[in-house]
Coordinates of all heavy atoms in Angstrom, one line a residue:
M1 N 88.1 314.1 156.4 CA 86.9 313.7 157.2 C 85.8 313.2 156.3 O 85.1 312.3 156.6 CB 86.4 314.9 158.0 CG 85.5 314.4 159.1 SD 85.0 315.8 160.1 CE 86.5 316.0 161.1
I2 N 85.7 313.8 155.1 CA 84.7 313.3 154.1 C 85.1 311.9 153.7 O 84.2 311.0 153.6 CB 84.7 314.3 152.9 CG1 84.0 315.6 153.3 CG2 83.9 313.6 151.8 CD1 84.1 316.7 152.3
A3 N 86.4 311.6 153.6 CA 86.8 310.3 153.2 C 86.5 309.3 154.3 O 86.0 308.2 154.0 CB 88.3 310.3 153.0
A4 N 86.7 309.7 155.6 CA 86.3 308.9 156.7 C 84.8 308.6 156.7 O 84.4 307.5 157.0 CB 86.7 309.5 158.0
G5 N 84.0 309.6 156.3 CA 82.6 309.5 156.2 C 82.2 308.5 155.2 O 81.3 307.6 155.4
N6 N 82.9 308.5 154.0 CA 82.6 307.6 153.0 C 82.9 306.1 153.4 O 82.2 305.2 153.1 CB 83.4 307.9 151.7 CG 82.9 309.1 151.0 OD1 81.7 309.4 151.1 ND2 83.7 309.8 150.2
L7 N 84.0 306.0 154.2 CA 84.4 304.7 154.7 C 83.3 304.3 155.7 O 82.9 303.1 155.7 CB 85.8 304.8 155.4 CG 86.3 303.5 156.1 CD1 86.5 302.4 155.0 CD2 87.6 303.8 156.8
L8 N 82.9 305.2 156.6 CA 81.9 304.8 157.6 C 80.6 304.4 157.0 O 79.9 303.6 157.5 CB 81.7 306.0 158.5 CG 82.6 306.2 159.7 CD1 82.4 307.5 160.4 CD2 82.6 305.1 160.7
S9 N 80.2 305.0 155.8 CA 79.0 304.8 155.2 C 78.9 303.3 154.7 O 77.8 302.7 154.6 CB 78.7 305.7 154.1 OG 79.4 305.4 152.9
S10 N 80.1 302.7 154.4 CA 80.0 301.3 154.0 C 80.4 300.4 155.2 O 80.7 299.2 155.0 CB 81.0 301.1 152.8 OG 82.3 301.5 153.2
G11 N 80.4 300.9 156.4 CA 80.6 300.1 157.5 C 81.9 300.3 158.3 O 82.0 299.7 159.4
G12 N 82.7 301.2 157.9 CA 83.9 301.5 158.7 C 84.9 300.4 158.8 O 84.8 299.5 158.0
A13 N 85.7 300.5 159.8 CA 86.8 299.5 159.9 C 86.6 298.5 161.1 O 87.4 297.6 161.2 CB 88.1 300.3 160.0
G14 N 85.7 298.8 162.0 CA 85.6 298.0 163.2 C 84.7 296.8 163.0 O 83.8 296.8 162.1
E15 N 84.8 295.9 163.9 CA 84.0 294.7 163.9 C 82.6 295.0 164.2 O 82.3 295.8 165.1 CB 84.5 293.8 165.1 CG 84.6 292.3 164.8 CD 85.1 291.6 166.0 OE1 86.2 291.9 166.5 OE2 84.4 290.7 166.4
G16 N 81.7 294.4 163.5 CA 80.2 294.6 163.7 C 79.7 295.9 163.1 O 78.5 296.2 163.2
E17 N 80.6 296.7 162.5 CA 80.2 298.0 162.0 C 79.5 297.9 160.7 O 78.7 298.8 160.3 CB 81.4 299.0 161.9 CG 81.8 299.4 163.3 CD 83.0 300.3 163.3 OE1 83.5 300.7 162.3 OE2 83.4 300.7 164.4
V18 N 79.7 296.8 159.9 CA 78.9 296.6 158.7 C 77.5 296.5 159.0 O 76.6 297.0 158.3 CB 79.5 295.4 157.9 CG1 78.6 295.1 156.7 CG2 80.9 295.7 157.4
A19 N 77.2 295.7 160.0 CA 75.8 295.5 160.5 C 75.2 296.8 160.9 O 74.0 297.2 160.6 CB 75.7 294.5 161.6
M20 N 76.0 297.6 161.7 CA 75.5 298.9 162.2 C 75.2 299.8 161.0 O 74.3 300.6 161.0 CB 76.4 299.5 163.1 CG 76.5 298.8 164.5 SD 77.3 299.8 165.7 CE 79.1 299.5 165.4
A21 N 76.0 299.8 160.0 CA 75.9 300.7 158.9 C 74.7 300.4 158.1 O 74.2 301.3 157.3 CB 77.2 300.6 158.0
A22 N 74.1 299.2 158.2 CA 72.9 298.9 157.5 C 71.7 299.6 158.2 O 70.6 299.8 157.6 CB 72.6 297.4 157.5
N23 N 71.9 300.1 159.4 CA 70.8 300.8 160.1 C 70.6 302.2 159.6 O 71.6 302.9 159.4 CB 71.3 300.8 161.6 CG 70.3 301.4 162.5 OD1 70.0 302.6 162.4 ND2 69.8 300.6 163.5
G24 N 69.4 302.6 159.5 CA 69.1 303.9 159.0 C 69.7 305.1 159.7 O 70.1 306.0 159.1
E25 N 69.7 305.0 161.0 CA 70.2 306.2 161.8 C 71.7 306.4 161.6 O 72.1 307.5 161.6 CB 69.8 306.0 163.3 CG 68.4 306.3 163.6 CD 68.1 306.4 165.0 OE1 68.8 305.8 165.8 OE2 67.2 307.2 165.4
W26 N 72.4 305.2 161.5 CA 73.8 305.3 161.2 C 74.1 306.2 160.0 O 74.9 307.1 160.0 CB 74.4 303.9 161.0 CG 75.8 303.9 160.7 CD1 76.4 304.0 159.4 CD2 76.9 303.6 161.6 NE1 77.7 303.9 159.5 CE2 78.1 303.6 160.8 CE3 77.0 303.3 162.9 CZ2 79.4 303.4 161.3 CZ3 78.3 303.1 163.5 CH2 79.4 303.1 162.7
Q27 N 73.3 305.9 158.9 CA 73.5 306.7 157.7 C 73.1 308.1 157.9 O 73.8 309.0 157.3 CB 72.6 306.0 156.6 CG 72.9 304.6 156.2 CD 74.3 304.5 155.5 OE1 74.9 305.4 155.1 NE2 74.8 303.3 155.5
T28 N 72.0 308.4 158.7 CA 71.6 309.8 158.9 C 72.7 310.5 159.6 O 73.1 311.6 159.1 CB 70.4 309.8 159.8 OG1 69.4 309.0 159.2 CG2 69.9 311.2 159.9
Y29 N 73.3 310.0 160.7 CA 74.3 310.7 161.4 C 75.6 310.9 160.5 O 76.2 311.9 160.5 CB 74.8 309.9 162.6 CG 73.7 309.7 163.7 CD1 73.5 308.6 164.4 CD2 72.8 310.8 163.9 CE1 72.5 308.4 165.3 CE2 71.8 310.6 164.9 CZ 71.7 309.4 165.6 OH 70.7 309.3 166.5
N30 N 75.9 309.8 159.8 CA 77.0 309.9 158.9 C 76.9 311.0 157.8 O 77.8 311.7 157.6 CB 77.3 308.5 158.3 CG 78.7 308.4 157.8 OD1 79.6 308.8 158.4 ND2 78.8 307.8 156.6
N31 N 75.7 311.0 157.2 CA 75.5 312.0 156.2 C 75.5 313.4 156.8 O 76.1 314.3 156.1 CB 74.1 311.8 155.5 CG 74.2 310.6 154.6 OD1 75.3 310.3 154.1 ND2 73.1 310.0 154.3
Q32 N 75.0 313.6 158.0 CA 75.1 314.9 158.6 C 76.6 315.3 158.8 O 76.9 316.5 158.6 CB 74.4 314.9 160.0 CG 72.9 314.9 159.9 CD 72.2 314.7 161.2 OE1 72.8 314.3 162.2 NE2 70.9 314.9 161.2
M33 N 77.4 314.3 159.2 CA 78.8 314.6 159.5 C 79.5 315.0 158.2 O 80.3 316.0 158.1 CB 79.5 313.4 160.1 CG 80.9 313.7 160.5 SD 81.7 312.2 161.2 CE 81.8 311.2 159.7
I34 N 79.2 314.3 157.1 CA 79.8 314.6 155.8 C 79.4 316.0 155.3 O 80.3 316.8 154.9 CB 79.5 313.5 154.7 CG1 80.1 312.2 155.1 CG2 79.9 313.9 153.3 CD1 79.6 311.0 154.3
D35 N 78.1 316.3 155.5 CA 77.6 317.6 155.1 C 78.3 318.7 155.9 O 78.7 319.7 155.3 CB 76.1 317.6 155.3 CG 75.5 318.9 154.7 OD1 75.7 319.2 153.5 OD2 74.9 319.6 155.5
A36 N 78.5 318.4 157.2 CA 79.1 319.4 158.0 C 80.6 319.6 157.6 O 81.1 320.7 157.6 CB 79.0 319.0 159.5
A37 N 81.3 318.5 157.3 CA 82.7 318.6 156.9 C 82.8 319.5 155.6 O 83.7 320.3 155.5 CB 83.2 317.2 156.6
R38 N 81.8 319.4 154.7 CA 81.8 320.2 153.5 C 81.7 321.7 153.9 O 82.3 322.5 153.3 CB 80.7 319.8 152.5 CG 80.9 318.4 152.0 CD 80.4 318.3 150.6 NE 80.8 317.0 150.0 CZ 80.0 315.9 150.0 NH1 78.8 316.0 150.6 NH2 80.4 314.8 149.5
Q39 N 80.8 321.9 154.9 CA 80.6 323.3 155.3 C 81.9 323.9 156.0 O 82.2 325.1 155.8 CB 79.5 323.4 156.3 CG 78.1 323.1 155.7 CD 77.0 323.2 156.8 OE1 76.9 324.2 157.5 NE2 76.2 322.2 157.0
V40 N 82.6 323.0 156.7 CA 83.9 323.4 157.3 C 84.9 323.9 156.2 O 85.5 324.9 156.2 CB 84.5 322.3 158.1 CG1 86.0 322.6 158.5 CG2 83.7 322.1 159.4
I41 N 84.9 323.1 155.1 CA 85.8 323.4 154.0 C 85.4 324.8 153.4 O 86.3 325.6 153.1 CB 85.8 322.3 152.9 CG1 86.4 321.0 153.5 CG2 86.5 322.7 151.6 CD1 86.2 319.8 152.6
E42 N 84.1 325.0 153.2 CA 83.7 326.3 152.7 C 84.1 327.4 153.6 O 84.6 328.4 153.1 CB 82.1 326.3 152.6 CG 81.6 325.4 151.5 CD 82.1 325.7 150.2 OE1 82.1 326.9 149.8 OE2 82.6 324.8 149.5
A43 N 84.0 327.3 154.9 CA 84.3 328.3 155.8 C 85.9 328.6 155.8 O 86.3 329.7 155.9 CB 83.9 328.0 157.3
V44 N 86.6 327.5 155.7 CA 88.1 327.6 155.6 C 88.5 328.4 154.3 O 89.3 329.3 154.4 CB 88.8 326.3 155.7 CG1 90.3 326.4 155.4 CG2 88.6 325.7 157.1
K45 N 87.9 328.0 153.2 CA 88.2 328.6 152.0 C 87.9 330.1 152.0 O 88.6 330.9 151.5 CB 87.3 328.0 150.9 CG 87.9 326.8 150.2 CD 87.1 326.5 148.9 CE 87.4 325.1 148.4 NZ 86.3 324.5 147.7
A46 N 86.8 330.5 152.7 CA 86.4 331.9 152.8 C 87.2 332.6 153.9 O 87.0 333.8 154.1 CB 84.9 332.0 153.0
R47 N 88.0 331.9 154.6 CA 88.7 332.4 155.8 C 87.8 333.1 156.7 O 88.1 334.2 157.3 CB 89.8 333.4 155.3 CG 90.9 332.7 154.4 CD 91.9 333.6 154.0 NE 92.9 333.0 153.1 CZ 94.0 332.4 153.5 NH1 94.3 332.4 154.8 NH2 94.8 331.8 152.7
D48 N 86.7 332.5 156.9 CA 85.6 333.1 157.8 C 85.7 332.4 159.2 O 85.1 331.3 159.3 CB 84.3 332.9 157.1 CG 83.2 333.7 157.9 OD1 83.4 333.9 159.1 OD2 82.1 334.0 157.3
E49 N 86.3 333.0 160.1 CA 86.6 332.4 161.4 C 85.3 332.2 162.2 O 85.1 331.1 162.8 CB 87.6 333.2 162.2 CG 88.5 332.4 163.0 CD 89.6 333.3 163.7 OE1 90.3 333.9 163.0 OE2 89.5 333.3 164.9
D50 N 84.4 333.2 162.1 CA 83.1 333.0 162.9 C 82.3 331.9 162.3 O 81.7 331.1 163.1 CB 82.3 334.3 162.7 CG 83.0 335.5 163.5 OD1 83.8 335.2 164.4 OD2 82.7 336.6 163.1
K51 N 82.3 331.8 161.0 CA 81.5 330.7 160.3 C 82.1 329.4 160.7 O 81.4 328.4 161.0 CB 81.6 331.0 158.8 CG 80.9 329.9 158.0 CD 79.4 330.2 157.9 CE 78.8 329.1 157.1 NZ 77.3 329.1 157.3
L52 N 83.4 329.3 160.7 CA 84.1 328.0 161.1 C 83.7 327.6 162.5 O 83.4 326.4 162.7 CB 85.6 328.2 160.9 CG 86.5 327.0 161.2 CD1 86.1 325.9 160.2 CD2 87.9 327.3 161.1
F53 N 83.7 328.5 163.4 CA 83.4 328.3 164.8 C 81.9 327.8 164.9 O 81.6 326.8 165.5 CB 83.6 329.5 165.6 CG 83.4 329.3 167.1 CD1 84.4 328.7 167.8 CD2 82.2 329.8 167.7 CE1 84.2 328.5 169.2 CE2 82.1 329.6 169.1 CZ 83.1 329.0 169.8
E54 N 81.0 328.5 164.2 CA 79.6 328.1 164.2 C 79.4 326.8 163.6 O 78.6 325.9 164.1 CB 78.8 329.2 163.5 CG 77.3 329.1 163.6 CD 76.7 329.3 162.3 OE1 76.7 330.5 161.7 OE2 76.1 328.4 161.7
V55 N 80.0 326.5 162.4 CA 79.8 325.2 161.8 C 80.3 324.1 162.6 O 79.7 323.0 162.8 CB 80.4 325.2 160.4 CG1 80.6 323.8 159.8 CG2 79.7 326.1 159.4
G56 N 81.5 324.3 163.3 CA 82.1 323.3 164.1 C 81.1 322.9 165.3 O 80.9 321.8 165.5
N57 N 80.6 323.9 165.9 CA 79.8 323.7 167.1 C 78.4 323.2 166.7 O 77.8 322.3 167.4 CB 79.6 325.0 167.9 CG 80.8 325.2 168.8 OD1 81.4 324.3 169.3 ND2 81.1 326.4 168.9
N58 N 77.8 323.8 165.7 CA 76.4 323.5 165.4 C 76.1 322.4 164.4 O 75.1 321.8 164.4 CB 75.7 324.8 165.0 CG 75.7 325.9 166.1 OD1 75.8 325.5 167.3 ND2 75.7 327.1 165.7
A59 N 77.0 322.2 163.5 CA 76.8 321.3 162.4 C 77.7 320.0 162.6 O 77.3 318.9 162.4 CB 77.1 321.9 161.1
L60 N 79.0 320.2 162.9 CA 79.9 319.1 163.0 C 79.8 318.3 164.2 O 79.8 317.0 164.2 CB 81.3 319.6 162.8 CG 82.4 318.5 162.6 CD1 82.1 317.6 161.4 CD2 83.8 319.2 162.4
Y61 N 79.7 318.9 165.4 CA 79.8 318.2 166.6 C 78.5 317.3 166.9 O 78.7 316.2 167.3 CB 80.1 319.1 167.8 CG 80.5 318.3 169.0 CD1 81.6 317.4 169.0 CD2 79.7 318.3 170.2 CE1 81.9 316.6 170.1 CE2 80.0 317.5 171.3 CZ 81.1 316.7 171.2 OH 81.4 315.9 172.3
P62 N 77.3 317.8 166.7 CA 76.1 317.1 167.1 C 76.0 315.6 166.5 O 75.7 314.7 167.3 CB 74.9 318.0 166.7 CG 75.5 319.3 166.7 CD 76.9 319.2 166.3
P63 N 76.3 315.4 165.2 CA 76.2 314.1 164.7 C 77.2 313.1 165.3 O 77.0 311.9 165.5 CB 76.4 314.2 163.2 CG 76.9 315.5 162.9 CD 76.5 316.4 164.1
C64 N 78.4 313.6 165.7 CA 79.4 312.8 166.4 C 78.8 312.3 167.6 O 78.8 311.1 167.9 CB 80.6 313.6 166.8 SG 81.4 314.6 165.5
E65 N 78.3 313.3 168.4 CA 77.8 313.0 169.7 C 76.6 312.0 169.6 O 76.5 311.0 170.4 CB 77.3 314.3 170.4 CG 76.9 314.2 171.8 CD 78.1 313.9 172.7 OE1 79.3 314.0 172.3 OE2 77.8 313.5 173.9
A66 N 75.7 312.3 168.7 CA 74.4 311.5 168.6 C 74.8 310.1 168.2 O 74.2 309.1 168.7 CB 73.5 312.1 167.5
C67 N 75.7 309.9 167.2 CA 76.0 308.6 166.8 C 76.8 307.8 167.9 O 76.5 306.6 168.1 CB 76.9 308.6 165.5 SG 77.0 307.0 164.7
H68 N 77.6 308.5 168.6 CA 78.4 307.8 169.7 C 77.4 307.3 170.8 O 77.5 306.2 171.3 CB 79.4 308.7 170.3 CG 80.6 308.9 169.3 ND1 81.4 310.0 169.4 CD2 81.0 308.2 168.2 CE1 82.3 309.9 168.4 NE2 82.0 308.9 167.7
Q69 N 76.4 308.1 171.1 CA 75.5 307.8 172.1 C 74.7 306.5 171.7 O 74.3 305.7 172.5 CB 74.5 308.9 172.5 CG 75.1 309.7 173.6 CD 74.4 311.0 173.8 OE1 73.3 311.2 173.3 NE2 75.0 311.9 174.6
T70 N 74.4 306.4 170.4 CA 73.6 305.3 169.9 C 74.4 304.0 169.8 O 74.0 303.0 170.1 CB 73.0 305.7 168.6 OG1 72.3 306.9 168.7 CG2 71.9 304.6 168.2
Y71 N 75.7 304.2 169.3 CA 76.4 303.0 168.8 C 77.7 302.6 169.6 O 78.1 301.5 169.5 CB 76.8 303.2 167.3 CG 75.6 303.2 166.4 CD1 75.2 304.4 165.8 CD2 74.9 302.0 166.2 CE1 74.1 304.4 165.0 CE2 73.8 302.0 165.3 CZ 73.4 303.2 164.7 OH 72.3 303.2 163.9
Q72 N 78.2 303.6 170.3 CA 79.5 303.3 170.9 C 79.2 302.4 172.2 O 78.4 302.6 173.0 CB 80.2 304.6 171.4 CG 81.7 304.5 171.1 CD 82.4 305.8 171.3 OE1 81.7 306.8 171.6 NE2 83.7 305.8 171.2
K73 N 80.0 301.3 172.2 CA 79.8 300.3 173.3 C 80.3 300.8 174.7 O 79.7 300.5 175.7 CB 80.5 299.0 172.9 CG 79.9 298.4 171.7 CD 80.8 297.3 171.2 CE 80.7 297.1 169.7 NZ 81.9 297.5 169.0
R74 N 81.4 301.6 174.7 CA 82.0 302.0 176.0 C 81.3 303.2 176.5 O 80.9 304.1 175.8 CB 83.5 302.2 175.8 CG 84.2 300.8 175.8 CD 85.5 301.0 175.1 NE 85.4 301.1 173.7 CZ 86.3 301.6 172.9 NH1 87.5 302.1 173.4 NH2 86.1 301.7 171.6
Ligands
HEC101 C1 78.0 307.1 161.9 C2 78.3 307.0 163.3 C3 79.5 307.9 163.9 C4 79.7 309.2 163.6 C5 78.9 310.2 162.7 C6 80.9 309.5 164.3 N1 81.4 308.5 165.0 FE1 83.1 308.4 166.2 N2 82.7 306.4 166.6 C7 81.6 305.7 166.1 C8 81.7 304.4 166.7 C9 80.7 303.3 166.5 C10 82.9 304.3 167.5 C11 83.3 303.2 168.4 C12 84.2 302.3 167.5 C13 84.7 301.1 168.2 O1 84.8 301.1 169.4 O2 85.0 300.1 167.5 C14 83.5 305.7 167.4 C15 84.7 306.0 168.0 C16 85.2 307.3 168.0 C17 86.4 307.7 168.7 C18 87.3 306.8 169.6 C19 86.8 306.8 171.0 C20 87.3 305.8 171.9 O3 86.9 305.7 173.0 O4 88.1 304.9 171.4 C21 86.7 309.0 168.5 C22 87.8 309.9 169.0 C23 85.6 309.4 167.6 N3 84.7 308.4 167.3 C24 85.5 310.7 167.1 C25 84.4 311.2 166.3 C26 84.3 312.5 165.9 C27 85.2 313.7 166.3 C28 83.2 312.5 165.1 C29 82.5 313.7 164.3 C30 83.4 314.5 163.5 C31 82.7 311.2 165.0 N4 83.5 310.4 165.8 C32 81.5 310.8 164.3 C33 80.6 306.1 165.3 C34 80.5 307.4 164.7

């Protein structure tokens, strides 16, 4: 997922996404997602199930949702 985030930060794979990636909010959401993915890795390493659940809901999901609401066409 961090790799996907790195790809997304330079515009992803879809048409028109390079232009969207130049937009400040795109970078914000993307950075939040990358940061959350790192927290997921930490929780998994620590085998902390509660932490994993919390990070998933509170850190990982919101930037997905926010970015889709702003940029997804469908
Ligand atoms: C930086 C912005 C951004 C972030 C953050 C982001 N996405 Fe997306 N996502 C998009 C865009 C834009 C599309 C639409 C791409 C297209 O249609 O070409 C998309 C499409 C998708 C699709 C395909 C949906 C469909 O109807 O085809 C899925 C599944 C998806 N994202 C899951 C996620 C998940 C899960 C996360 C969080 C872990 C996430 N995305 C984070 C921008 C983002």
Side-chain angles (χ1 to χ4, degrees):
M1 199 176 280
I2 291 171
N6 285 336
L7 177 64
L8 277 172
S9 77
S10 59
E15 218 178 307
E17 289 180 359
V18 173
M20 289 195 278
N23 181 299
E25 284 194 328
W26 175 280
Q27 298 292 343
T28 304
Y29 297 143
N30 196 43
N31 286 334
Q32 284 170 350
M33 184 183 69
I34 293 171
D35 185 57
R38 293 210 173 96
Q39 291 180 56
V40 168
I41 292 169
E42 289 304 309
V44 169
K45 270 191 196 155
R47 295 179 185 272
D48 187 339
E49 218 175 296
D50 293 338
K51 178 81 181 164
L52 182 60
F53 187 76
E54 188 224 292
V55 166
N57 279 324
N58 299 332
L60 187 56
Y61 192 63
C64 308
E65 189 66 15
C67 194
H68 291 158
Q69 269 171 14
T70 311
Y71 294 107
Q72 220 171 357
K73 294 165 212 112
R74 284 158 284 161

